[in-house]
Amino acid sequence: MARNKDGLTKALAEIPAIREEFYANVYIPGTGQELNQSLERAGRVADFLEFAEVMVLDALERKESCGCHLREESQTEEHEAKRDDVHYSHVTVWEHRGVGQPPLLHQEPLEFEAVTPSQRSYK
Amino acid sequence: MAAKNISITVKIWRQANETAKGCLGTYALKEISTDMSFLEMLDVLNEQLTLEGKEPVVFDHDCREGICGTCGAVVDGIAHGPEQGTTLCQLHMRHFKDGQVICIEPFRAKAFPLVRDLMVDRSAFDRIIQAGGFVSINAGSAPDANTVAVPQQQAEQAMDAAACIGCGACVASCPNAAAMLFTSAKISQLALMPQGRPERKRRALSMVAAMDEEGFGNCSNHRECEQVCPKKISIRHIARMNREYLAAALFGE
């Protein structure tokens, strides 16, 4: 799986439309007063549609390649994931501020004492 | 066998909650592929009901590969349906004929209160497991091979007992709604292994007590449980459980 700026930007533009379509067309039989598996599943889809947007936003923000997050723009000459620890050695937490509102970025720097991150090599 | 489409009629137990009056709902299904699993057929029905503005049938399911023990219903009077050694999710529509009428009911037992439609509350099983308690040996990391000697025959028997997925078909099929096949599989699994020996007496006493406490009946050797068990657990384990219980009750800890 590879990601790039164009693809992620396109996804970020499409997700709100899919979410709006979901809320406009969703039909949930029954009520919330009793066990309702349809309601449970609709709730999950709604969660996924919010979560997908945050994931895409985070993938777009992290311009380095790291772990299974491979940004096509950031690769070594041998097409392996190229890290950028100068700019991205941190954990990102996105604060939800309401559906459709841009989430707030929080960063917590990663400090390595015993080992230092290095370029992955299978050779 | 090439897939084909069949039309069937399903009669499904509909009940809004534990205290509501229930009845069988009749639904016609067309173009059901024989390659579908039984639960996929229910998915098709639920989609059809939703599109018609009706409430879908509530049923439990999770892994859909026969290993989690979440699914289960009584199909034409047989828990998990007509195929032996098969969970409901692994039962396929190729075992049914075009035009067949299929009756689907929940696992009924006093200790399994009905939640809705085909879903029952099987948390009584969890409480029996909890009553089993801990093993005092260090189970933290995998030991080196052969450091704990286990005779091959006992290892095989323990493995057979460990195959129980706790689905509750045994309870649903038993005329006494006994949970003895389930409980005995769990007791056997540990009693047969050296790791389970230190607590075996206490475990047998408290798991049997928990089983009685939950309102399950006792075994009267009908062997219906063995017939429907998707993992083919043998009632030999019930005999072992009774021996474990007797030894613990007579000779104490």
Side-chain angles (χ1 to χ4, degrees), chain A:
Chain A
M1 188 177 71
R3 296 160 169 171
N4 61 47
K5 192 186 172 190
D6 288 348
L8 290 166
T9 311
K10 190 180 168 209
L12 205 57
E14 284 179 6
I15 292 167
I18 297 170
R19 194 169 53 225
E20 276 166 34
E21 191 195 337
F22 169 74
Y23 279 108
N25 295 332
V26 68
Y27 168 68
I28 304 161
T31 70
Q33 299 304 307
E34 67 267 359
L35 178 76
N36 189 333
Q37 290 182 314
S38 302
L39 182 63
E40 179 193 331
R41 285 172 198 134
R44 284 189 206 172
V45 175
D47 282 348
F48 288 149
L49 288 171
E50 286 171 28
F51 185 55
E53 193 169 8
V54 178
M55 277 191 73
V56 172
L57 196 66
D58 190 59
L60 196 59
E61 196 275 333
R62 190 172 283 270
K63 297 184 180 74
E64 65 158 354
S65 293
C66 177
C68 60
H69 166 64
L70 185 94
R71 278 291 292 263
E72 286 174 353
E73 300 92 332
S74 179
Q75 46 184 304
T76 64
E77 286 173 9
E78 291 164 323
H79 307 296
E80 292 290 346
K82 188 181 174 189
R83 308 176 59 90
D84 179 1
D85 289 311
V86 176
H87 295 101
Y88 294 101
S89 189
H90 59 247
V91 175
T92 310
V93 177
W94 294 93
E95 184 185 335
H96 184 66
R97 294 196 293 182
V99 179
Q101 300 296 316
L104 189 65
L105 176 72
H106 297 276
Q107 285 177 353
E108 186 181 303
L110 288 170
E111 281 159 23
F112 296 91
E113 287 165 6
V115 289
T116 48
S118 63
Q119 192 61 49
R120 179 189 292 174
S121 172
Y122 292 110
K123 286 181 180 172

Side-chain angles (χ1 to χ4, degrees), chain B residues 61-74:
Chain B
H61 59 95
D62 192 22
C63 76
R64 299 205 180 202
E65 53 188 24
I67 56 169
C68 77
T70 310
C71 71
V74 174

Side-chain angles (χ1 to χ4, degrees), chain B:
Chain B
M1 193 166 69
K4 59 174 186 175
N5 287 347
I6 55 171
S7 294
I8 53 167
T9 302
V10 286
K11 287 175 178 282
I12 301 182
W13 187 259
R14 304 303 304 265
Q15 188 173 335
N17 55 58
E18 195 189 350
T19 51
K21 192 173 160 30
C23 66
L24 283 170
T26 305
Y27 310 98
L29 284 165
K30 290 193 175 71
E31 296 194 13
I32 294 295
S33 166
T34 51
D35 275 353
M36 276 182 198
S37 73
F38 201 84
L39 298 189
E40 283 165 343
M41 179 273 290
L42 290 177
D43 290 335
V44 170
L45 169 68
N46 277 351
E47 199 167 322
Q48 186 176 309
L49 289 172
T50 305
L51 290 171
E52 289 169 5
K54 294 173 186 162
E55 290 207 38
V57 177
V58 173
F59 65 97
D60 257 331
H61 59 95
D62 192 22
C63 76
R64 299 205 180 202
E65 53 188 24
I67 56 169
C68 77
T70 310
C71 71
V74 174
V75 179
D76 287 337
I78 304 169
H80 288 303
E83 281 290 294
Q84 281 206 319
T86 308
T87 54
L88 194 64
C89 61
Q90 296 281 289
L91 174 68
H92 283 80
M93 295 311 292
R94 65 182 72 98
H95 300 294
F96 298 90
K97 293 189 188 75
D98 190 40
Q100 192 167 339
V101 178
I102 306 165
C103 184
I104 310 164
E105 294 168 277
F107 282 175
R108 293 181 198 278
K110 190 176 87 181
F112 286 169
L114 191 129
V115 178
R116 194 169 189 186
D117 298 339
L118 302 176
M119 187 192 274
V120 294
D121 179 357
R122 289 168 289 184
S123 57
F125 272 13
D126 300 340
R127 291 185 290 275
I128 294 174
I129 293 287
Q130 280 165 9
F134 57 89
V135 288
S136 58
I137 56 103
N138 177 16
S141 57
D144 282 341
N146 301 323
T147 47
V148 184
V150 184
Q152 173 67 12
Q153 197 187 7
Q154 296 211 351
E156 290 289 341
Q157 286 174 352
M159 196 67 188
D160 287 348
C164 169
I165 54 174
C167 64
C170 45
V171 176
S173 307
C174 178
N176 311 321
M180 288 190 119
L181 195 66
F182 166 77
T183 311
S184 69
K186 303 305 172 192
I187 286 177
S188 280
Q189 180 190 335
L190 289 165
L192 283 161
M193 302 296 282
Q195 294 91 336
R197 294 271 158 77
E199 289 83 21
R200 66 191 291 188
K201 287 183 177 174
R202 195 214 60 215
R203 187 185 307 117
L205 292 173
S206 48
M207 287 183 84
V208 170
M211 187 179 79
D212 292 341
E213 178 96 352
E214 294 293 339
F216 292 107
N218 276 312
C219 178
S220 47
N221 296 313
H222 282 71
R223 305 182 77 169
E224 295 285 344
C225 53
E226 205 178 47
Q227 289 297 306
V228 299
C229 176
K231 299 298 156 188
K232 298 186 171 175
I233 306 287
S234 163
I235 64 159
R236 283 165 177 266
H237 295 298
I238 298 182
R240 182 176 292 103
M241 176 176 77
N242 289 338
R243 286 200 299 277
E244 291 288 320
Y245 182 81
L246 191 65
L250 286 179
F251 305 116
E253 296 227 26

